[in-house]
C-alpha cells in the first residue's frame, strides 16, 4: 500500500470562479424547484386562498399569485447566485494569502 502526502498550496481564482458559477447555477435551479414544490403544496392545502381573502378583508388590493412568488424568488435566487459567484474567487485569493503564512491543506493519498 503506497502512501503519499500532497499539500494544496494554491487555488487559482479563475478556477474558483468557474466552480462557484457552476454551483451557483445549480443552486438557483434547485431553489426554484423547491419554491415551486412549496407553492403547490401550500396551494393544495388552501393557504394561498385563505391569505388572499385575509388581504382582501383588510382592504388590500393585492393578490398573491404563483407568478409573483416565482418572480420574487427568482430575483432573490439570482442575487444570491451572483454574490456566491463573486465570493468564490475572493475566497480563493484569501486562501492563497493565508497559505503563504501558515501552509496549506495536507492531503494523504493511499493506494489500495
Amino acid at each position: 500500500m503506497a502512501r503519499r502526502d500532497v499539500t494544496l498550496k494554491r487555488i487559482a481564482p479563475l478556477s474558483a470562479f468557474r466552480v462557484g458559477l457552476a454551483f451557483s447555477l445549480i443552486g438557483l435551479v434547485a431553489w426554484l424547484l423547491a419554491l415551486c414544490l412549496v407553492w403547490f403544496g401550500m396551494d393544495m392545502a388552501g393557504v394561498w386562498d385563505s391569505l388572499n381573502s385575509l388581504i382582501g378583508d383588510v382592504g388590500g388590493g393585492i393578490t398573491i399569485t404563483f407568478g409573483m412568488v416565482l418572480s420574487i424568488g427568482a430575483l432573490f435566487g439570482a442575487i444570491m447566485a451572483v454574490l456566491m459567484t463573486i465570493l468564490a474567487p475572493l475566497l480563493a485569493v484569501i486562501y492563497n494569502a493565508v497559505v503563504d503564512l501558515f501552509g496549506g491543506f495536507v492531503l494523504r493519498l493511499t493506494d489500495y
Side-chain angles (χ1 to χ4, degrees), residues 40-59:
F40 288 122
M42 292 174 76
D43 191 34
M44 295 293 253
V47 172
W48 299 117
D49 294 331
S50 300
L51 190 61
N52 284 331
S53 69
L54 177 67
I55 290 172
D57 288 344
V58 227

Side-chain angles (χ1 to χ4, degrees), residues 5-34:
D5 289 344
V6 178
T7 304
L8 181 61
K9 291 189 177 185
R10 186 173 189 293
I11 299 174
L14 184 60
S15 176
F17 174 78
R18 289 179 191 148
V19 172
L21 178 64
F23 279 136
S24 294
L25 292 177
I26 291 169
L28 178 61
V29 170
W31 164 253
L32 292 176
L33 287 175

Side-chain angles (χ1 to χ4, degrees), residues 6 15 29 41 45 78 83 90 94-95 97:
V6 178
S15 176
V29 170
L83 287 177
L90 181 64
I94 292 171
Y95 174 80

Side-chain angles (χ1 to χ4, degrees), residues 20-35 68-86:
L21 178 64
F23 279 136
S24 294
L25 292 177
I26 291 169
L28 178 61
V29 170
W31 164 253
L32 292 176
L33 287 175
L35 188 65
M68 178 190 295
V69 171
L70 192 62
S71 298
I72 292 171
L75 178 65
F76 176 74
I79 290 170
M80 292 304 295
V82 168
L83 287 177
M84 292 301 122
T85 303
I86 291 171

